[in-house]
Amino acid sequence: MRKYLIIAALLLTAACTKEGDTIYKPDPNEEPASTTPLVTVIYDANALGDHSYNDLIYEGVEHAAQEWGLRTMQLSPQTYEEGLQYLELMFRQMEAAQDTVRRLFIVTSPGYDDFIRKNNKRLEANPYADLLYLETRTPLEGKGSTLFLTYYGAMYEGGRISAAAERCNTLLIGANRQTPSVAEAMQGYRDGFEAGLKLLTEKQASLNSLTSTYLDETGSGGFSIADTTAMRLLRQWENDEVRMLVPVCGGASNTFSRLINSTMAMVNIVGIDSYYDNYFSPYSIVKHIDRALEQSISQWLAQGTMPKHQTLGLKEGFTEVIMNPVTSIDIWTPDGYEGTTVPVLTDEMVKEMKEEAMRKEEEHEG
C-alpha cells in the first residue's frame, strides 16, 4: 500500500529573440496544468506499510480524495534526512507558486518538529497553501493547523477492562520513552489498570499484575521490529509467564500480533491503533486517525482553512475500545476462572468503564 513519487523533468520548447533572450514557446499539444486541489503527505522514515497508524493516515487521505475529487501525493522517505529534503522541496514549491491551485501539506510525524516550526511562516506568502501538522499538542506560531488525537481515555478504558476481566501477568510494551504520545498512552493504561485493581478483593487483585518494557530504551525508535527479534521476545515473555501484551509501538505491534496468530503462542495481545480480529486479541484500542484526516480535509475544502488546533479523543469518537466478540466469549466468562469469583464482563460494565474513562480523559486534558 504505497504510492511512489516519480519526479520527471519537463522539457520546454524555447525560442530566442534577436537580442539573445530566451523565451518560452508554448507547446500546443501540452495539457494545461491541473487546477484540482492537491493534498501532499510526508511521513516519517519507512513509515508506510506498518498496517497501523501510518497506513490509516494513507487510507483516510485517499478516501477523502475519492470523495471530493482531489489529487494526492504521499511520500514515505527512506531516511530522516530524505524526509527533510522532501519538506524543503514542498515549502519552496508552495511559497513560490504563482497560481491559484489550493494545496494542503500534511506532516505526520513530530520528528520533524524543529523544521516545521522554523519554516511554517514561509507559507504565508501563498494564500492558497495550508499546513496540517499531526501528533502535537502545541499550536504553530504563524500559518498552519495542528491536530492531536489523545489516547489517554481509550487506553484508560483498556486498562480498566483488563483489571476487571483478566487474571494474568500483563506486559505494557512501549516503542520508546522519548515519544510523548507513547508515554501518554502508557500512562493512561496504567492509571486505568490501577483504578480497576482498587475495586477488586485482595485475592482477586493478587492474580493480576502489570509491568512495562520498551523496545528502544535509549533512542526514539521501536516502531518496527524484525520477526526474529519479535519471536525471541515472545518466547522470553512466555517463559516469564506473561499472558497479555499491550504493545504501544506502531508497526511492531502488528508484527507481534501476526507471529502470535501464526505460531499459536500462549500469549494474548491487545490490538493497538487498528482492530485486531484474531482469536488471541480480546479487544482493540483503536485510534481513528483516518476519520480525523477526512474531517480535517473536509474543513479545509469547505472553509478554506482548519481550526488552529484540535484535540480529539474518546468523547469525540476518534479513539475507542472495540471488543472482540469471539474471544470475549471464551476468555471473559465464569468458566474461564474456575475457583475464583471473577464477574462476567457485561456490556453494562463496559459502558460504565467507558463513561469513567471519558471523565478521566477530560480531567487529563485539563
Side-chain angles (χ1 to χ4, degrees):
M1 184 198 301
R2 184 172 299 193
K3 180 175 288 186
Y4 295 92
L5 173 67
I6 302 176
I7 302 177
L10 299 178
L11 301 179
L12 305 180
T13 303
C16 295
T17 66
K18 62 181 179 181
E19 290 79 19
D21 298 326
T22 301
I23 61 174
Y24 174 65
K25 181 180 178 181
D27 181 350
N29 298 318
E30 182 179 293
E31 293 186 7
S34 175
T35 59
T36 302
L38 172 65
V39 178
T40 300
V41 188
I42 290 188
Y43 295 86
D44 213 346
N46 297 306
L48 278 181
D50 63 355
H51 300 283
S52 185
Y53 176 80
N54 290 287
D55 282 6
L56 287 174
I57 292 175
Y58 182 99
E59 292 168 7
V61 170
E62 292 303 316
H63 187 270
Q66 293 177 3
E67 182 76 13
W68 296 302
L70 309 174
R71 292 180 294 154
T72 65
M73 184 171 8
Q74 307 222 32
L75 310 178
S76 184
Q78 295 183 356
T79 65
Y80 172 75
E81 290 71 24
E82 187 176 57
L84 290 178
Q85 292 175 3
Y86 283 157
L87 287 168
E88 177 59 28
L89 176 62
M90 291 299 104
F91 273 98
R92 285 184 183 178
Q93 291 180 346
M94 292 174 77
E95 68 179 333
Q98 299 297 311
D99 54 38
T100 59
V101 175
R102 297 184 61 189
R103 295 175 172 88
L104 176 61
F105 187 28
I106 301 174
V107 180
T108 67
S109 170
Y112 301 121
D113 188 83
D114 187 58
F115 183 95
I116 293 298
R117 296 188 185 279
K118 287 181 178 178
N119 290 274
N120 64 298
K121 291 183 180 180
R122 293 165 60 182
L123 301 182
E124 294 174 357
N126 185 347
Y128 304 102
D130 213 339
L131 168 68
L132 178 61
Y133 178 29
L134 307 182
E135 290 302 300
T136 178
R137 289 185 175 276
T138 307
L140 294 170
E141 294 184 9
K143 193 164 188 178
S145 300
T146 48
L147 173 65
F148 185 79
L149 264 61
T150 175
Y151 230 173
Y152 183 88
M155 293 295 289
Y156 182 100
E157 182 183 350
R160 280 286 283 109
I161 289 172
S162 285
E166 291 294 335
R167 289 297 174 266
C168 63
N169 299 326
T170 299
L171 180 63
L172 188 58
I173 309 166
N176 60 72
R177 300 176 185 271
Q178 281 69 43
T179 304
S181 58
V182 171
E184 180 182 84
M186 294 179 72
Q187 188 60 54
Y189 196 90
R190 289 191 198 96
D191 290 348
F193 193 90
E194 292 171 2
L197 287 186
K198 293 177 182 178
L199 301 178
L200 302 178
T201 66
E202 183 176 347
K203 179 180 179 181
Q204 290 172 342
S206 68
L207 300 174
N208 224 340
S209 69
L210 177 65
T211 55
S212 301
T213 191
Y214 295 89
L215 297 182
D216 185 349
E217 285 286 354
T218 59
S220 56
F223 293 101
S224 62
I225 189 171
D227 282 14
T228 52
T229 304
M231 182 57 71
R232 176 178 57 79
L233 290 173
L234 285 174
R235 296 307 183 198
Q236 175 186 320
W237 294 332
E238 276 190 301
N239 292 336
D240 294 339
E241 298 187 345
V242 172
R243 292 295 175 261
M244 174 67 81
L245 302 182
V246 186
V248 189
C249 43
S253 303
N254 181 69
T255 302
F256 287 125
S257 176
R258 173 169 50 80
L259 291 176
I260 289 172
N261 197 42
S262 62
T263 62
M264 303 294 284
M266 296 303 296
V267 181
N268 294 313
I269 186 168
V270 172
I272 298 293
D273 287 341
S274 57
Y275 178 63
Y276 290 7
D277 60 358
N278 65 57
Y279 177 81
F280 298 97
S281 181
Y283 64 91
S284 297
I285 307 174
V286 179
K287 180 180 284 190
H288 297 295
I289 187 63
D290 50 343
R291 297 181 190 173
L293 264 296
E294 290 181 50
Q295 174 177 286
S296 296
I297 293 172
S298 175
Q299 292 168 335
W300 173 67
L301 289 171
Q303 305 167 17
T305 186
M306 296 156 287
K308 189 65 178 173
H309 178 78
Q310 297 183 84
T311 296
L312 306 172
L314 190 61
K315 182 178 180 180
E316 295 79 14
F318 288 93
T319 63
E320 69 171 323
V321 174
I322 302 177
M323 308 301 293
N324 185 330
V326 175
T327 305
S328 298
I329 292 174
D330 289 345
I331 294 180
W332 290 335
T333 64
D335 293 340
Y337 302 106
E338 185 176 353
T340 68
T341 56
V342 179
V344 177
L345 191 68
T346 65
D347 291 342
E348 185 62 29
M349 291 171 65
V350 173
K351 179 182 177 182
E352 292 175 357
M353 291 175 189
K354 181 175 182 177
E355 292 172 350
E356 177 186 343
M358 286 192 290
R359 292 194 300 271
K360 294 297 183 180
E361 183 174 82
E362 186 174 6
E363 293 174 8
H364 176 76
E365 294 301 317

